[in-house]
Amino acid sequence: MSYRSPEELSAKAKELIVEYVDKCDSLKPKERTQIPAQEMPTQDPFIRRTNLQEVAIGFSEEQAQIEAMRCLQCIKKNCVMDCPVNIDIPGFVNKIAHGDFEGAAQIIKQTTLLPAICGRVCPQETQCQLHCAVGRALKDVEKSVAIGRLERFIADWERKSGKRALPIIKPSTGKKVAVVGSGPAGLVVAADCKREGHHVTIFEAFHKLGGVLRYGIPEFRLPNDIIDHEIETLLQMGVEIKTNFVVGRTRKLIDLIEKDKYDAVFVGTGAGLPIFMGIEGENLVGVFSANEYLTRANLMRAFEKEKADTPIISSKKVAVLGGGNVAMDSARMAKRLGAEEVYVIYRRTEHEMPARKEEVAHAKEEGIEFRFLENAKRIIGDEHGCVTGIESVRFELGEPDESGRRRPIEIKNSEFIVEVDTVIVAIGNGSNPLISQTTPQIQVNKWGNVLVDATQKTSLDKVFAGGDIVLGAATVILAMGEGRRAAASINDMLAQQIESERALKNSYAL
Amino acid sequence: MNKIIYKEQLSKDVFLMRIDAPLIAEERQPGQFIILQTDDDYGERIPLTIADANIEEGSITIIFQVVGKTTTALSMMKTGDYLPAFVGPLGKPTHIKNFGHVVCVAGGIGAAPMHPIAEALKKAGNRVTIIIGSRTKDLLILENKMKNIADELIICTDDGSYGRRALVTEPLKELCERMEKPDMVIAIGPPVMMKFCSLTTKPYNVFTQVSLNTIMVDGTGMCGGCRVSINNETKFVCVDGPEFDGHQVDFDNMIARLNSYKNIEGQKQKCFVEKTFKAKEVVL
């Protein structure tokens, strides 16, 4: 499909809307499925691979309305059920269709405080959009109603309008909640507990908030000012923030309860443990975990080479090992940092890649080369200990394994050399072990994931957990869903405590 | 934000600072370090060992050498200034117990992290021999503090301007050759010094602990930038270390990785110094 500029798409939508605007409520389902699905305007691939500005620019108002009119307003709301936080999707989409953007914002905000983020990074095609009736009718999930893009549209519209809808906060309860980690799970817990009137403190190890949103997801997918805007909302709500505070080191978790008198603790410390392949040469100069590469580029701003003090390797040829969203982010960042050739090396085929199709498509447009059915066997270096290449080996696909994907089988004697000067290992992340190592009472499984019950409660009294620390590396929206559940459990627990304390006080008064 | 409450210049390139950090002072143990930034938008995160702590004052002491942009900027800060990012205590504390006779070998700036460890070892009942070495007399630091702890203090300088004219590995070898070998050696200093101390003690089978100072970004184990090869296994200095068995460390790989950004860093420091002095000229 050839590239169409944002101006072109906007003009087309302006023409089209005239046809539909008065029929908004009277359109029949069949007519709705025939409304053209709106294409997301993007930066030109040749320009955008040299800058960090957002690739996806967002729908115009007309585009949003037209797209919203495609919704059939089904009685059985598959989309709501498939959303990890059960946003009232038909509700807000209907408002957009009628041009009531403020109304749509109100509906979204009842359930999620981070729509600008979810609208951008959620894998909607495997969640709310998966069973959309429109996509099913058109036999193509990519033709489902673009729920994510509509959510993003509303969030951006509200932010640009300068209005900030602060949620109502109940009177102060005197109870204190400690939130460890300021990633998506922690941010949601902070907001939900603050709304109930509890005092909330977020403890963040880094000097900037956001967790993986900040250090992991590049600006061209999730701009920093969006994260800053969401955090500003929390500050205005009265949440206390302590950066450069490593719970487990600066203060033991148990001391937050016993010495600092926090009534509840939420652990949202994430999947901050890089997984290496364990192959020869992995410690050569020029080999990075995706976490390190992205943290230097994003959080430490190494992309701005003139201003930032944190250096990042200057690469000509980069091999990214892995096939998920992190691999895509690493590859696209490497391209923007000036690499001439960037290879994504994956041992299965495109069909099995866990990365979002949209990310893969964008990566291809930006000139990243995909090498399937290959994997690195060892990394080769020179006499200075620096990477000069990788020895790769070819694979073929056999029977499916436990994940349901076809198992890659190495083809004997198929080794060959690929010349590179940089290798980025993006094969996954595990749960960061700092909290479990410094809090022996918290039980973890063999992969280091914190064990929780259905209410997100850990094995330690008053301590809850959620997000990647529980699930292993997953998604932003799943982390938020867990955060939501944990906050509800914390709020329930504290409400019961308050009630008991009141009853006790009353009994003394009698 | 952490306030600089005291600053002292110990030698041409070496400075001591006491920083207001009550929580870190309370939690820290010998062997641990902090990470700081002089600017939390574009600044680099650098690790520095905690040289001392004062719980009553709520402060910790850092001793650093000017080697790059951040340490240059830090050396120009004054008492009363604030550090925008200061986090710790990080790393595994030194394992302290009564080993018997411990030889502490400190090279150059290594004396700073060595001091709290030597102090703790002495308190635990060890016989403590301290060897401190530097290139020249002016670069020697903490001599008096070490004298107060050591059962025997040996001072070496490369050029003979003070103490014995020798590299630290010479008295170390002599100690290993005595009838009663030391029970343990701790070596802290430039990587090449720690490498040669380990090579010196290896034939005598004396357990030698080193404190590695790799490049770090986060300091909490999430990036792997500080990884080293220990007996062919990958370990992270920030969470598995900073102390390791010197005989198992692949020093050559560690030194290569430490030099990853030498060119860029040299440039950044040069630009910063030029810019700062140009600005000062304008003011004058």
Side-chain angles (χ1 to χ4, degrees):
Chain A
M1 198 168 58
S2 62
Y3 175 72
R4 293 202 288 174
S5 73
E7 294 73 30
E8 223 182 301
L9 292 167
S10 175
K12 211 155 168 89
K14 279 195 163 87
E15 279 175 32
L16 198 57
I17 198 160
V18 173
E19 200 185 311
Y20 291 114
V21 74
D22 294 322
K23 299 189 221 168
C24 183
D25 289 319
S26 60
L27 282 167
K28 298 215 177 17
K30 182 126 190 180
E31 290 171 304
R32 291 192 192 275
T33 60
Q34 279 160 4
I35 299 173
Q38 293 299 294
E39 190 184 316
M40 172 60 103
T42 55
Q43 262 197 80
D44 182 319
F46 286 100
I47 298 173
R48 76 189 192 220
R49 66 185 187 185
T50 62
N51 70 42
L52 269 201
Q53 281 144 52
E54 233 189 318
V55 169
I57 294 168
F59 281 158
S60 65
E61 287 189 14
E62 292 80 16
Q63 279 189 295
Q65 266 188 275
I66 295 170
E67 185 65 30
M69 287 190 220
R70 299 178 68 231
C71 173
L72 302 180
Q73 295 293 316
C74 305
I75 297 171
K76 181 172 182 226
K77 305 180 206 306
N78 285 328
C79 50
V80 179
M81 291 193 297
D82 287 333
C83 169
V85 294
N86 310 122
I87 296 175
D88 176 9
I89 294 166
F92 86 77
V93 171
N94 196 27
K95 293 282 184 191
I96 297 176
H98 286 92
D100 178 8
F101 302 147
E102 176 131 20
Q106 294 294 345
I107 293 179
I108 292 175
K109 284 288 179 78
Q110 280 166 22
T111 330
T112 170
L113 286 166
L114 304 171
I117 295 173
C118 290
R120 283 169 165 78
V121 306
C122 261
Q124 294 99 6
E125 60 276 12
T126 61
Q127 291 168 168
C128 52
Q129 289 169 205
L130 181 62
H131 295 118
C132 170
V134 176
R136 287 231 283 255
L138 296 170
K139 295 193 175 29
D140 183 359
V141 75
E142 290 184 36
K143 293 252 156 50
S144 296
V145 174
I147 299 167
R149 291 168 179 177
L150 290 172
E151 182 187 16
R152 175 218 163 126
F153 168 78
I154 289 298
D156 289 352
W157 176 87
E158 204 206 14
R159 199 175 65 256
K160 286 177 202 158
S161 73
K163 297 182 203 169
R164 192 191 296 267
L166 277 188
I168 299 166
I169 299 173
K170 294 188 181 162
S172 179
T173 60
K175 294 289 176 191
K176 293 178 13 165
V177 179
V179 174
V180 185
S182 66
L187 294 177
V188 161
V189 173
D192 281 359
C193 290
K194 185 67 208 162
R195 283 202 275 209
E196 283 302 301
H198 306 310
H199 176 88
V200 176
T201 311
I202 297 178
F203 295 94
E204 167 55 50
F206 271 134
H207 51 289
K208 295 259 187 264
L209 293 138
V212 74
L213 303 171
R214 178 89 61 184
Y215 74 72
I217 304 179
E219 286 223 63
F220 56 80
R221 277 217 293 142
L222 181 60
N224 276 338
D225 25 312
I226 297 204
I227 308 171
D228 290 337
H229 181 90
E230 305 296 357
I231 287 163
E232 182 60 34
T233 303
L234 286 175
L235 282 169
Q236 287 192 14
M237 284 166 73
V239 170
E240 183 187 13
I241 289 169
K242 291 193 174 169
T243 52
N244 295 303
F245 196 116
V246 183
V247 174
R249 288 267 179 245
T250 311
R251 202 86 167 133
K252 300 273 180 301
L253 191 150
I254 205 75
D255 288 339
L256 289 178
I257 300 173
E258 290 174 4
K259 288 186 186 167
D260 303 324
K261 305 294 180 204
Y262 279 92
D263 300 289
V265 178
F266 174 76
V267 176
T269 48
L273 182 68
I275 295 174
F276 285 98
M277 288 180 67
I279 57 177
E280 187 189 318
E282 221 164 10
N283 290 344
L284 287 168
V285 177
V287 182
F288 302 91
S289 69
N291 267 1
E292 184 184 353
Y293 194 77
L294 291 172
T295 298
R296 281 179 184 271
N298 300 329
L299 174 69
M300 306 309 294
R301 312 185 77 88
F303 179 83
E304 296 177 70
K305 287 186 177 153
E306 298 306 308
K307 283 176 151 172
D309 290 343
T310 302
I312 194 162
I313 190 169
S314 220
S315 315
K316 285 214 170 57
K317 294 189 179 176
V318 182
V320 177
L321 309 178
N325 291 322
V326 177
M328 296 305 108
D329 284 341
S330 305
R332 296 169 71 195
M333 181 55 88
K335 199 72 170 151
R336 282 160 173 76
L337 280 164
E340 288 163 14
E341 314 269 342
V342 179
Y343 313 119
V344 168
I345 299 180
Y346 183 59
R347 60 192 186 145
R348 291 181 167 100
T349 71
E350 186 164 352
H351 179 73
E352 289 84 28
M353 276 182 99
R356 293 186 66 196
K357 287 205 166 54
E358 185 179 274
E359 308 306 328
V360 176
H362 284 163
K364 284 183 182 167
E365 285 166 9
E366 288 157 17
I368 283 141
E369 191 182 317
F370 284 77
R371 300 172 69 119
F372 295 110
L373 295 171
E374 277 179 35
N375 207 3
K377 201 165 171 175
R378 65 186 181 99
I379 305 174
I380 306 163
D382 61 16
E383 67 274 18
H384 304 294
C386 298
V387 175
T388 53
I390 54 174
E391 184 182 80
S392 276
V393 70
R394 296 197 200 280
F395 284 78
E396 57 190 354
L397 292 183
E399 291 305 304
D401 65 16
E402 321 81 54
S403 71
R405 293 176 295 167
R406 292 180 66 190
R407 189 190 301 268
I409 301 169
E410 189 177 314
I411 299 174
K412 292 257 179 302
N413 301 320
S414 64
E415 285 83 354
F416 62 100
I417 308 285
V418 181
E419 264 181 36
V420 293
D421 52 64
T422 304
V423 179
I424 302 174
V425 184
I427 57 171
N429 287 301
S431 300
N432 186 285
L434 197 56
I435 291 286
S436 55
Q437 279 173 1
T438 54
T439 320
Q441 307 92 326
I442 283 193
Q443 281 173 18
V444 295
N445 65 16
K446 66 179 181 192
W447 294 291
N449 306 136
V450 172
L451 293 168
V452 295
D453 64 20
T455 68
Q456 306 296 138
K457 191 174 158 307
T458 68
S459 55
L460 183 51
D461 210 28
K462 301 185 187 183
V463 179
F464 298 76
D468 285 358
I469 195 73
V470 167
L471 302 168
T475 61
V476 166
I477 189 69
L478 285 174
M480 286 193 203
E482 298 236 309
R484 189 122 272 194
R485 259 197 305 282
S489 307
I490 292 172
N491 289 337
D492 278 342
M493 178 184 84
L494 294 179
Q496 280 176 32
Q497 269 177 32
I498 292 167
E499 194 42 53
S500 317
E501 284 159 13
R502 195 172 296 152
L504 201 62
K505 231 195 203 155
N506 288 341
S507 73
Y508 282 142
L510 290 168
Chain B
M1 297 288 266
N2 297 74
K3 194 178 191 179
I4 301 171
I5 53 183
Y6 176 76
K7 177 188 177 186
E8 188 188 329
Q9 188 160 5
L10 299 185
S11 72
K12 177 168 159 284
D13 284 330
V14 179
F15 294 82
L16 178 152
M17 280 182 176
R18 284 207 313 272
I19 314 286
D20 176 47
L23 288 177
I24 304 179
E26 199 183 312
E27 283 292 324
R28 78 100 210 187
Q29 287 170 70
Q32 291 187 301
F33 61 95
I34 51 96
I35 281 188
L36 64 79
Q37 285 176 291
T38 52
D39 162 20
D40 66 355
D41 277 319
Y42 289 100
E44 197 176 1
R45 292 168 65 91
I46 63 163
L48 289 172
T49 320
I50 299 172
D52 206 347
N54 185 325
I55 298 184
E56 288 85 52
E57 190 184 53
S59 72
I60 67 145
T61 301
I62 50 171
I63 297 176
F64 62 94
Q65 184 170 16
V66 171
V67 291
K69 154 94 188 271
T70 309
T71 41
T72 304
L74 184 59
S75 70
M76 292 180 182
M77 291 178 79
K78 301 183 296 295
T79 306
D81 286 345
Y82 284 85
L83 286 165
F86 197 77
V87 57
L90 304 172
K92 279 202 175 125
T94 312
H95 177 52
I96 303 283
K97 72 169 202 210
N98 193 337
F99 298 101
H101 175 203
V102 183
V103 176
C104 297
V105 191
I109 195 78
M114 186 63 87
H115 174 248
I117 294 172
E119 198 174 47
L121 286 167
K122 186 81 183 130
K123 250 203 192 116
N126 289 284
R127 179 170 138 226
V128 178
T129 301
I130 302 180
I131 304 173
I132 49 176
S134 65
R135 273 183 283 130
T136 177
K137 179 178 182 201
D138 287 337
L139 297 172
L140 268 178
I141 56 168
L142 304 182
E143 183 192 345
N144 285 328
K145 286 205 172 233
M146 296 301 203
K147 202 181 273 179
N148 288 335
I149 300 169
D151 291 293
E152 188 185 346
L153 176 66
I154 304 168
I155 301 179
C156 307
T157 44
D158 292 3
D159 64 0
S161 51
Y162 191 69
R164 181 171 155 178
R165 187 197 171 105
L167 296 174
V168 294
T169 42
E170 285 174 44
L172 178 60
K173 186 162 187 235
E174 287 160 17
L175 285 163
C176 290
E177 281 176 338
R178 285 189 195 168
M179 268 290 279
E180 275 191 55
K181 289 186 296 186
D183 296 293
M184 179 168 163
V185 167
I186 298 185
I188 307 183
V192 82
M193 169 249 175
M194 291 189 287
K195 173 181 171 182
F196 280 96
C197 284
S198 303
L199 287 171
T200 304
T201 59
K202 193 156 179 154
Y204 304 97
N205 240 327
V206 179
F207 179 71
T208 300
Q209 189 172 276
V210 294
S211 182
L212 300 182
N213 52 340
T214 51
I215 295 174
M216 285 184 192
V217 184
D218 64 296
T220 58
M222 63 75 81
C223 85
C226 63
R227 66 193 187 281
V228 286
S229 196
I230 308 290
N231 197 22
N232 279 321
E233 262 184 63
T234 297
K235 297 278 176 198
F236 292 0
V237 172
C238 68
V239 290
D240 302 312
E243 288 161 1
F244 295 97
D245 177 351
H247 296 152
Q248 317 256 32
V249 176
D250 180 348
F251 278 104
D252 292 336
N253 174 246
M254 184 217 157
I255 291 167
R257 288 180 62 80
L258 204 55
N259 290 327
S260 297
Y261 305 103
K262 267 274 142 30
N263 286 337
I264 311 177
E265 285 175 342
Q267 281 281 57
K268 294 234 177 247
Q269 186 188 20
K270 198 159 156 271
C271 284
F272 175 73
V273 171
E274 279 170 14
K275 226 188 274 181
T276 314
F277 285 113
K278 257 209 172 70
K280 286 197 170 149
E281 278 169 31
V282 172
V283 168
L284 289 169

